[in-house]
């Protein structure tokens, strides 16, 4: 099964390569992922509501284009830009990292929270959870207040998790979604499990459901 992943922002080649290598590590047997940069018309970061909307528009445009040989597609973003309504006539199934991972947790009866990089991402994350009908399972979002560069700095990102995860655990969360699709989650002694939504979503994409 071949999957097309589309970045939500315009990235330099070295960051596209880093994210592609991450997908190569995470892809379970039977799933091959090709990451494509969304292009220069997209924002360089997601720091405002306007940039989130611009990202959604550009991701939708690329997902609507023909791409022979792919069985499915998904945005390389935990905000699920263009999933599902923004893509008018998708040429292949379009999935969302957040929708897959959060729906799975809810289906297991898990109360979950999330950590994100900034306020704009927090607002969109919460909006998406509501749109997916998962508010009853959602403990809320905490902002890590990290620069964009921290996405590629695993140690910096993971060091910032402790207080936020503790606060969400106090609200009843037993799992916390790491609110960036491109960050590696490290094991840590925290009061709630930190979930890598990309790793979980990739596993779910390869699950075969019997008739």
């Amino acid at each position: 099964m071949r999957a097309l992943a589309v970045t939500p922002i315009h990235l330099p080649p070295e960051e596209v390569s880093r994210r592609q290598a991450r997908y190569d590590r995470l892809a379970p047997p039977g799933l091959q992922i090709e990451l494509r940069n969304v292009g220069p018309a997209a924002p360089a970061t997601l720091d405002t509501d306007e940039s989130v909307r611009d990202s959604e528009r550009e991701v939708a445009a690329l997902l609507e284009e023909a791409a022979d040989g792919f069985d499915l597609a998904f945005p390389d973003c935990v905000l699920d830009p263009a999933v599902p309504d923004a893509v008018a006539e998708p040429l292949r199934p379009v999935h969302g990292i957040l929708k897959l991972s959060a729906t799975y947790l809810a289906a297991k009866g898990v109360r979950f929270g999330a950590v994100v990089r900034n306020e704009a991402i927090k607002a969109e994350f919460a909006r998406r959870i509501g749109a997916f009908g998962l508010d009853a399972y959602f403990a809320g979002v905490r902002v890590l207040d990290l620069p964009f560069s921290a996405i590629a700095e695993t140690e910096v990102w993971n060091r910032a998790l402790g207080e936020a995860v503790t606060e969400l655990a106090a609200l009843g969360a037993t799992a916390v979604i790491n609110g960036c699709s491109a960050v590696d989650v490290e094991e840590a002694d925290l009061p709630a499990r930190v979930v890598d939504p990309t790793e979980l979503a990739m596993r779910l994409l390869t699950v075969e459901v019997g008739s």
Side-chain angles (χ1 to χ4, degrees), residues 67-143:
D68 292 339
F70 291 102
D71 302 296
L72 58 95
F74 61 89
D76 170 47
C77 181
V78 77
L79 296 180
D80 288 359
V83 178
D85 299 330
V87 182
E89 296 182 6
L91 299 173
R92 67 202 63 78
V94 176
H95 298 279
I97 288 172
L98 178 58
K99 188 174 184 180
L100 284 166
S101 56
T103 300
Y104 174 81
L105 292 174
K108 298 279 286 186
V110 174
R111 182 166 174 81
F112 63 91
V115 292
V116 297
R117 190 173 63 82
N118 62 30
E119 291 289 344
I121 296 172
K122 172 185 176 180
E124 183 67 4
F125 193 105
R127 190 185 75 80
R128 283 293 189 178
I129 291 295
F132 298 148
L134 301 177
D135 282 331
Y137 300 92
F138 192 47
V141 189
R142 291 296 180 270
V143 175

Side-chain angles (χ1 to χ4, degrees), residues 5 13 67 69 117 121-122 128 136-137 149 155 164 180 186 197 207 209:
R117 190 173 63 82
I121 296 172
K122 172 185 176 180
R128 283 293 189 178
Y137 300 92
S149 60
E155 291 183 2
C180 181
E186 297 179 335
V207 172
V209 180

Side-chain angles (χ1 to χ4, degrees), residues 10-25:
H10 181 48
L11 294 172
E14 60 271 19
E15 177 62 9
V16 174
S17 296
R18 186 190 73 83
R19 295 187 182 207
Q20 179 65 67
R22 173 170 154 79
Y23 277 118
D24 292 343
R25 294 196 311 271

Side-chain angles (χ1 to χ4, degrees), residues 97-207:
I97 288 172
L98 178 58
K99 188 174 184 180
L100 284 166
S101 56
T103 300
Y104 174 81
L105 292 174
K108 298 279 286 186
V110 174
R111 182 166 174 81
F112 63 91
V115 292
V116 297
R117 190 173 63 82
N118 62 30
E119 291 289 344
I121 296 172
K122 172 185 176 180
E124 183 67 4
F125 193 105
R127 190 185 75 80
R128 283 293 189 178
I129 291 295
F132 298 148
L134 301 177
D135 282 331
Y137 300 92
F138 192 47
V141 189
R142 291 296 180 270
V143 175
L144 300 179
D145 195 23
L146 291 171
F148 178 76
S149 60
I151 293 173
E153 298 169 347
T154 301
E155 291 183 2
V156 172
W157 187 285
N158 280 270
R159 278 201 306 268
L161 293 178
E163 182 178 350
V165 172
T166 299
E167 290 179 2
L168 289 165
L171 296 173
T174 58
V176 174
I177 294 175
N178 196 50
C180 181
S181 65
V183 173
D184 288 317
V185 174
E186 297 179 335
E187 291 189 13
D189 184 15
L190 295 171
R193 175 171 58 100
V194 180
V195 176
D196 181 337
T198 307
E199 187 273 336
L200 176 55
M202 297 306 98
R203 285 193 285 115
L204 293 171
L205 284 175
T206 60
V207 172

Side-chain angles (χ1 to χ4, degrees), residues 13-77:
E14 60 271 19
E15 177 62 9
V16 174
S17 296
R18 186 190 73 83
R19 295 187 182 207
Q20 179 65 67
R22 173 170 154 79
Y23 277 118
D24 292 343
R25 294 196 311 271
L26 292 180
L31 179 63
Q32 180 182 355
I33 302 166
E34 180 179 322
L35 178 65
R36 292 188 182 177
N37 191 19
V38 67
T45 61
L46 300 178
D47 293 329
T48 65
D49 182 68
E50 181 181 9
S51 65
V52 171
R53 300 280 76 80
D54 290 344
S55 168
E56 187 170 59
R57 182 187 64 248
E58 295 303 317
V59 170
L62 186 53
L63 289 175
E64 287 175 352
E65 293 180 1
D68 292 339
F70 291 102
D71 302 296
L72 58 95
F74 61 89
D76 170 47
C77 181

